[in-house]
Amino acid sequence: MSPPHAGRAANAPGRTAARRTLRTAVRRIVRFAVSLAVLLVASFAMIHLIPGDPVRASLGPAAPMELVEARTAALGLDRPLPEQFTTYVGDILTGDLGASFLTGEPVGDVIAARLPNTLTLALLATAVALVVAVPLGMWAAVRTENGRNRGTELTFGTATGAAVAVPEFLYSIALVAVLAVGLGWFPPAGKAGPLTYVLPVVALSVGPIAMIARITRVETLRELGTDYVRLARAKRLPAARLHLRHVLPNTLTATLTMGGLLLTSLIAGSVLVEYVFAWPGLGLKIVESITQKDYPVAQSVILVYGAIVLTVNLIVDLVLGALDPTSEIKEVSA
């Protein structure tokens, strides 16, 4: 008969791992909350850091002083800063993002109408990047394993390195010039059917495809050098089965983590892409609101962008912690 404390001893490692996971999750959530608070302060400070009077700048130099003073009072910009900040935070928490200087339209309605278009582009580009990059990276790893096919390795490294270095808006301009204006294969701008998605999605996904393919190649090469792969090859396991059922799942942790992080960068990087393609998303609205000096819209859209990026990063952190326990150990010991 086993001693009474044997069961407790056996369960101790599990409880320790659970506590470690909980501590890591709490730490990441606290970090998320602090980052969100910093973002809130920065978005509030934005309108106060604009040189001169933001209301005068938005209404124009010819606007009568009575109108400027009335608009300033309506926005609460004539009150002390602590009171303004308290009101701002309270409005944000209740979903009141203010109204446009130019049209008087609630900013929440503007964001609700345009955010789905931006998220659609970012999600499509992320999906395209993963679907293209993972097979490409695995193919390059298999082709260049053990130093074989130096030409393939050089071509792959050069092409993906160059693709990562080029900004999205340059891809956008080139695609419009060649495929839309030159060849007439796709609409040059706007959102009016499935074909209008193609060029923006391609422009956003080229860089991520190259980056994920490089990471996938490195991870696949690492897996191909492990003992279980050598044993499977010694047993003459078919290559397709080995690569798809055994190597691929073990390379996906780093790849999916990078995919989640790239989603945040694609959301932020869509600003100039949307501007080039006149895509009716938040990115185009940011550019329009800044050029038109519609500061409440710009302020709120930037706040929403930042909140989305922080939220996606938190989700990626938590998922990575669940998939890769070593990341939790590193986090706790940091």
Side-chain angles (χ1 to χ4, degrees):
M1 183 175 180
S2 60
H5 61 273
R8 291 196 299 271
N11 292 330
R15 289 198 300 269
T16 301
R19 285 197 297 268
R20 186 171 61 225
T21 300
L22 180 61
R23 285 199 302 269
T24 302
V26 169
R27 179 176 296 189
R28 286 168 174 165
I29 291 172
V30 169
R31 188 166 58 194
F32 166 78
V34 172
S35 300
L36 203 58
V38 172
L39 174 65
L40 197 63
V41 173
S43 65
F44 169 77
M46 168 187 164
I47 201 168
H48 297 280
L49 295 176
I50 298 169
D53 185 352
V55 177
R56 166 64 71 183
S58 66
L59 295 177
M65 181 57 67
E66 295 80 7
L67 178 59
V68 174
E69 292 175 350
R71 181 64 63 85
T72 301
L75 294 171
L77 296 178
D78 57 343
R79 290 178 288 175
L81 279 179
E83 185 179 345
Q84 289 186 46
F85 182 70
T86 302
T87 302
Y88 176 70
V89 173
D91 289 343
I92 295 296
L93 294 178
T94 57
D96 182 6
L97 300 177
S100 167
F101 272 172
L102 301 179
T103 65
E105 183 182 6
V107 177
D109 293 347
V110 175
I111 293 174
R114 290 177 173 258
L115 179 58
N117 295 331
T118 294
L119 292 180
T120 299
L121 275 190
L123 290 171
L124 284 175
T126 302
V128 169
L130 291 173
V131 169
V132 175
V134 172
L136 178 61
M138 291 192 68
W139 171 84
V142 173
R143 287 276 296 173
T144 60
E145 186 183 4
N146 297 324
R148 295 184 292 113
N149 297 307
R150 293 289 186 181
T152 300
E153 182 178 1
L154 178 61
T155 302
F156 177 83
T158 303
T160 54
V164 170
V166 177
E168 291 92 345
F169 77 91
L170 288 182
Y171 286 125
S172 303
I173 294 172
L175 289 171
V176 169
V178 176
L179 299 182
V181 177
L183 298 176
W185 291 353
F186 300 97
K191 179 191 174 189
L195 286 179
T196 57
Y197 285 83
V198 175
L199 296 186
V201 169
V202 171
L204 280 172
S205 61
V206 172
I209 286 173
M211 185 177 297
I212 295 176
R214 292 169 71 93
I215 294 172
T216 303
R217 176 179 174 270
V218 171
E219 291 295 313
T220 302
L221 286 174
R222 181 177 61 81
E223 288 298 318
L224 291 175
T226 56
D227 292 337
Y228 82 88
V229 171
R230 286 193 286 267
L231 178 61
R233 284 173 170 169
K235 292 183 176 181
R236 299 187 180 278
L237 190 70
R241 183 179 177 185
L242 171 64
H243 295 153
L244 295 179
R245 294 189 58 181
H246 300 283
V247 175
L248 177 60
N250 290 324
T251 65
L252 285 182
T253 298
T255 302
L256 293 178
T257 301
M258 180 56 65
L261 297 176
L262 282 173
L263 175 59
T264 65
S265 68
L266 288 175
I267 293 173
S270 66
V271 173
L272 292 178
V273 172
E274 289 185 11
Y275 181 72
V276 172
F277 290 103
W279 186 262
L282 285 185
L284 178 61
K285 194 60 183 178
I286 285 180
V287 177
E288 291 177 346
S289 59
I290 291 175
T291 55
Q292 296 169 354
K293 299 179 180 178
D294 196 353
Y295 298 119
V297 175
Q299 182 183 43
S300 297
V301 171
I302 290 172
L303 177 63
V304 170
Y305 259 97
I308 291 173
V309 169
L310 291 175
T311 301
V312 173
N313 283 339
L314 173 65
I315 293 172
V316 170
D317 278 347
L318 295 177
V319 171
L320 177 60
L323 294 177
D324 184 8
T326 59
S327 67
E328 298 171 5
I329 298 174
K330 293 174 185 176
E331 180 75 17
V332 172
S333 62

